[in-house]
PDB file of all heavy atoms in Angstrom:
ATOM      1  N   ARG A 187      51.658 -39.756  -6.784  1.00 98.00           N
ATOM      2  CA  ARG A 187      52.012 -40.533  -7.977  1.00 98.00           C
ATOM      3  C   ARG A 187      52.289 -39.622  -9.171  1.00 98.00           C
ATOM      4  O   ARG A 187      53.254 -39.836  -9.918  1.00 98.00           O
ATOM      5  CB  ARG A 187      50.900 -41.522  -8.315  1.00 98.00           C
ATOM      6  CG  ARG A 187      50.877 -42.766  -7.439  1.00 98.00           C
ATOM      7  CD  ARG A 187      49.957 -43.827  -8.021  1.00 98.00           C
ATOM      8  NE  ARG A 187      48.564 -43.364  -8.053  1.00 98.00           N
ATOM      9  CZ  ARG A 187      47.699 -43.575  -7.074  1.00 98.00           C
ATOM     10  NH1 ARG A 187      48.067 -44.227  -5.982  1.00 98.00           N
ATOM     11  NH2 ARG A 187      46.450 -43.140  -7.184  1.00 98.00           N
ATOM     12  N   SER A 188      51.443 -38.609  -9.369  1.00 98.00           N
ATOM     13  CA  SER A 188      51.623 -37.710 -10.512  1.00 98.00           C
ATOM     14  C   SER A 188      52.957 -36.980 -10.443  1.00 98.00           C
ATOM     15  O   SER A 188      53.647 -36.828 -11.456  1.00 98.00           O
ATOM     16  CB  SER A 188      50.468 -36.694 -10.561  1.00 98.00           C
ATOM     17  OG  SER A 188      49.241 -37.324 -10.812  1.00 98.00           O
ATOM     18  N   CYS A 189      53.326 -36.526  -9.254  1.00 98.00           N
ATOM     19  CA  CYS A 189      54.610 -35.835  -9.088  1.00 98.00           C
ATOM     20  C   CYS A 189      55.777 -36.767  -9.382  1.00 98.00           C
ATOM     21  O   CYS A 189      56.744 -36.388 -10.065  1.00 98.00           O
ATOM     22  CB  CYS A 189      54.731 -35.266  -7.679  1.00 98.00           C
ATOM     23  SG  CYS A 189      53.695 -33.821  -7.371  1.00 98.00           S
ATOM     24  N   LEU A 190      55.706 -37.990  -8.887  1.00 98.00           N
ATOM     25  CA  LEU A 190      56.794 -38.945  -9.118  1.00 98.00           C
ATOM     26  C   LEU A 190      56.892 -39.334 -10.581  1.00 98.00           C
ATOM     27  O   LEU A 190      58.000 -39.441 -11.136  1.00 98.00           O
ATOM     28  CB  LEU A 190      56.591 -40.174  -8.233  1.00 98.00           C
ATOM     29  CG  LEU A 190      56.815 -39.940  -6.737  1.00 98.00           C
ATOM     30  CD1 LEU A 190      56.321 -41.128  -5.922  1.00 98.00           C
ATOM     31  CD2 LEU A 190      58.291 -39.664  -6.440  1.00 98.00           C
ATOM     32  N   GLU A 191      55.760 -39.543 -11.228  1.00 98.00           N
ATOM     33  CA  GLU A 191      55.776 -39.881 -12.653  1.00 98.00           C
ATOM     34  C   GLU A 191      56.340 -38.726 -13.473  1.00 98.00           C
ATOM     35  O   GLU A 191      57.135 -38.929 -14.397  1.00 98.00           O
ATOM     36  CB  GLU A 191      54.365 -40.228 -13.137  1.00 98.00           C
ATOM     37  CG  GLU A 191      53.808 -41.528 -12.576  1.00 98.00           C
ATOM     38  CD  GLU A 191      54.570 -42.757 -13.058  1.00 98.00           C
ATOM     39  OE1 GLU A 191      55.276 -42.667 -14.072  1.00 98.00           O
ATOM     40  OE2 GLU A 191      54.462 -43.809 -12.392  1.00 98.00           O
ATOM     41  N   LEU A 192      55.938 -37.507 -13.144  1.00 98.00           N
ATOM     42  CA  LEU A 192      56.430 -36.330 -13.863  1.00 98.00           C
ATOM     43  C   LEU A 192      57.927 -36.142 -13.626  1.00 98.00           C
ATOM     44  O   LEU A 192      58.681 -35.799 -14.550  1.00 98.00           O
ATOM     45  CB  LEU A 192      55.655 -35.099 -13.399  1.00 98.00           C
ATOM     46  CG  LEU A 192      55.822 -33.811 -14.196  1.00 98.00           C
ATOM     47  CD1 LEU A 192      55.519 -34.016 -15.671  1.00 98.00           C
ATOM     48  CD2 LEU A 192      54.923 -32.711 -13.612  1.00 98.00           C
ATOM     49  N   ALA A 193      58.367 -36.383 -12.405  1.00 98.00           N
ATOM     50  CA  ALA A 193      59.799 -36.292 -12.100  1.00 98.00           C
ATOM     51  C   ALA A 193      60.580 -37.335 -12.887  1.00 98.00           C
ATOM     52  O   ALA A 193      61.649 -37.048 -13.448  1.00 98.00           O
ATOM     53  CB  ALA A 193      60.024 -36.473 -10.603  1.00 98.00           C
ATOM     54  N   ALA A 194      60.058 -38.548 -12.950  1.00 98.00           N
ATOM     55  CA  ALA A 194      60.732 -39.614 -13.689  1.00 98.00           C
ATOM     56  C   ALA A 194      60.798 -39.292 -15.176  1.00 98.00           C
ATOM     57  O   ALA A 194      61.824 -39.521 -15.836  1.00 98.00           O
ATOM     58  CB  ALA A 194      60.010 -40.941 -13.463  1.00 98.00           C
ATOM     59  N   GLU A 195      59.717 -38.753 -15.722  1.00 97.00           N
ATOM     60  CA  GLU A 195      59.694 -38.388 -17.141  1.00 97.00           C
ATOM     61  C   GLU A 195      60.759 -37.353 -17.477  1.00 97.00           C
ATOM     62  O   GLU A 195      61.266 -37.310 -18.598  1.00 97.00           O
ATOM     63  CB  GLU A 195      58.321 -37.831 -17.512  1.00 97.00           C
ATOM     64  CG  GLU A 195      57.201 -38.856 -17.542  1.00 97.00           C
ATOM     65  CD  GLU A 195      55.840 -38.205 -17.699  1.00 97.00           C
ATOM     66  OE1 GLU A 195      55.792 -36.983 -18.025  1.00 97.00           O
ATOM     67  OE2 GLU A 195      54.824 -38.895 -17.492  1.00 97.00           O
ATOM     68  N   ASN A 196      61.084 -36.512 -16.506  1.00 98.00           N
ATOM     69  CA  ASN A 196      62.061 -35.448 -16.722  1.00 98.00           C
ATOM     70  C   ASN A 196      63.454 -35.806 -16.211  1.00 98.00           C
ATOM     71  O   ASN A 196      64.332 -34.934 -16.121  1.00 98.00           O
ATOM     72  CB  ASN A 196      61.571 -34.160 -16.066  1.00 98.00           C
ATOM     73  CG  ASN A 196      60.436 -33.505 -16.837  1.00 98.00           C
ATOM     74  OD1 ASN A 196      60.676 -32.727 -17.758  1.00 98.00           O
ATOM     75  ND2 ASN A 196      59.197 -33.842 -16.492  1.00 98.00           N
ATOM     76  N   GLY A 197      63.655 -37.069 -15.871  1.00 97.00           N
ATOM     77  CA  GLY A 197      64.978 -37.534 -15.476  1.00 97.00           C
ATOM     78  C   GLY A 197      65.448 -37.037 -14.127  1.00 97.00           C
ATOM     79  O   GLY A 197      66.658 -37.001 -13.868  1.00 97.00           O
ATOM     80  N   LEU A 198      64.532 -36.685 -13.228  1.00 98.00           N
ATOM     81  CA  LEU A 198      64.920 -36.182 -11.912  1.00 98.00           C
ATOM     82  C   LEU A 198      65.206 -37.345 -10.966  1.00 98.00           C
ATOM     83  O   LEU A 198      64.605 -38.404 -11.072  1.00 98.00           O
ATOM     84  CB  LEU A 198      63.818 -35.298 -11.338  1.00 98.00           C
ATOM     85  CG  LEU A 198      63.306 -34.174 -12.242  1.00 98.00           C
ATOM     86  CD1 LEU A 198      62.363 -33.268 -11.489  1.00 98.00           C
ATOM     87  CD2 LEU A 198      64.456 -33.385 -12.852  1.00 98.00           C
ATOM     88  N   ARG A 199      66.120 -37.098 -10.043  1.00 97.00           N
ATOM     89  CA  ARG A 199      66.562 -38.170  -9.149  1.00 97.00           C
ATOM     90  C   ARG A 199      66.187 -37.934  -7.686  1.00 97.00           C
ATOM     91  O   ARG A 199      66.316 -38.833  -6.869  1.00 97.00           O
ATOM     92  CB  ARG A 199      68.082 -38.324  -9.254  1.00 97.00           C
ATOM     93  CG  ARG A 199      68.581 -38.715 -10.633  1.00 97.00           C
ATOM     94  CD  ARG A 199      68.251 -40.156 -10.964  1.00 97.00           C
ATOM     95  NE  ARG A 199      68.881 -41.080 -10.024  1.00 97.00           N
ATOM     96  CZ  ARG A 199      68.619 -42.371  -9.950  1.00 97.00           C
ATOM     97  NH1 ARG A 199      67.699 -42.896 -10.755  1.00 97.00           N
ATOM     98  NH2 ARG A 199      69.244 -43.153  -9.079  1.00 97.00           N
ATOM     99  N   SER A 200      65.725 -36.739  -7.354  1.00 98.00           N
ATOM    100  CA  SER A 200      65.351 -36.462  -5.958  1.00 98.00           C
ATOM    101  C   SER A 200      64.185 -35.489  -5.929  1.00 98.00           C
ATOM    102  O   SER A 200      64.180 -34.493  -6.648  1.00 98.00           O
ATOM    103  CB  SER A 200      66.543 -35.900  -5.170  1.00 98.00           C
ATOM    104  OG  SER A 200      67.049 -34.733  -5.782  1.00 98.00           O
ATOM    105  N   VAL A 201      63.203 -35.802  -5.090  1.00 98.00           N
ATOM    106  CA  VAL A 201      61.993 -34.990  -4.963  1.00 98.00           C
ATOM    107  C   VAL A 201      61.679 -34.799  -3.483  1.00 98.00           C
ATOM    108  O   VAL A 201      61.694 -35.765  -2.712  1.00 98.00           O
ATOM    109  CB  VAL A 201      60.791 -35.656  -5.657  1.00 98.00           C
ATOM    110  CG1 VAL A 201      59.499 -34.892  -5.359  1.00 98.00           C
ATOM    111  CG2 VAL A 201      61.011 -35.740  -7.164  1.00 98.00           C
ATOM    112  N   ALA A 202      61.385 -33.566  -3.100  1.00 98.00           N
ATOM    113  CA  ALA A 202      60.983 -33.260  -1.722  1.00 98.00           C
ATOM    114  C   ALA A 202      59.497 -32.931  -1.700  1.00 98.00           C
ATOM    115  O   ALA A 202      59.055 -31.992  -2.372  1.00 98.00           O
ATOM    116  CB  ALA A 202      61.794 -32.088  -1.170  1.00 98.00           C
ATOM    117  N   PHE A 203      58.738 -33.709  -0.946  1.00 98.00           N
ATOM    118  CA  PHE A 203      57.301 -33.496  -0.813  1.00 98.00           C
ATOM    119  C   PHE A 203      56.982 -32.703   0.444  1.00 98.00           C
ATOM    120  O   PHE A 203      57.483 -33.017   1.523  1.00 98.00           O
ATOM    121  CB  PHE A 203      56.559 -34.833  -0.724  1.00 98.00           C
ATOM    122  CG  PHE A 203      56.386 -35.534  -2.046  1.00 98.00           C
ATOM    123  CD1 PHE A 203      57.216 -36.597  -2.392  1.00 98.00           C
ATOM    124  CD2 PHE A 203      55.381 -35.150  -2.920  1.00 98.00           C
ATOM    125  CE1 PHE A 203      57.055 -37.250  -3.604  1.00 98.00           C
ATOM    126  CE2 PHE A 203      55.207 -35.799  -4.129  1.00 98.00           C
ATOM    127  CZ  PHE A 203      56.039 -36.852  -4.474  1.00 98.00           C
TER     128      PHE A 203
END
Side-chain angles (χ1 to χ4, degrees):
R187 282 193 296 268
S188 295
C189 287
L190 290 169
E191 291 294 341
L192 191 55
E195 289 171 13
N196 286 273
L198 308 188
R199 298 288 299 170
S200 57
V201 173
F203 282 101

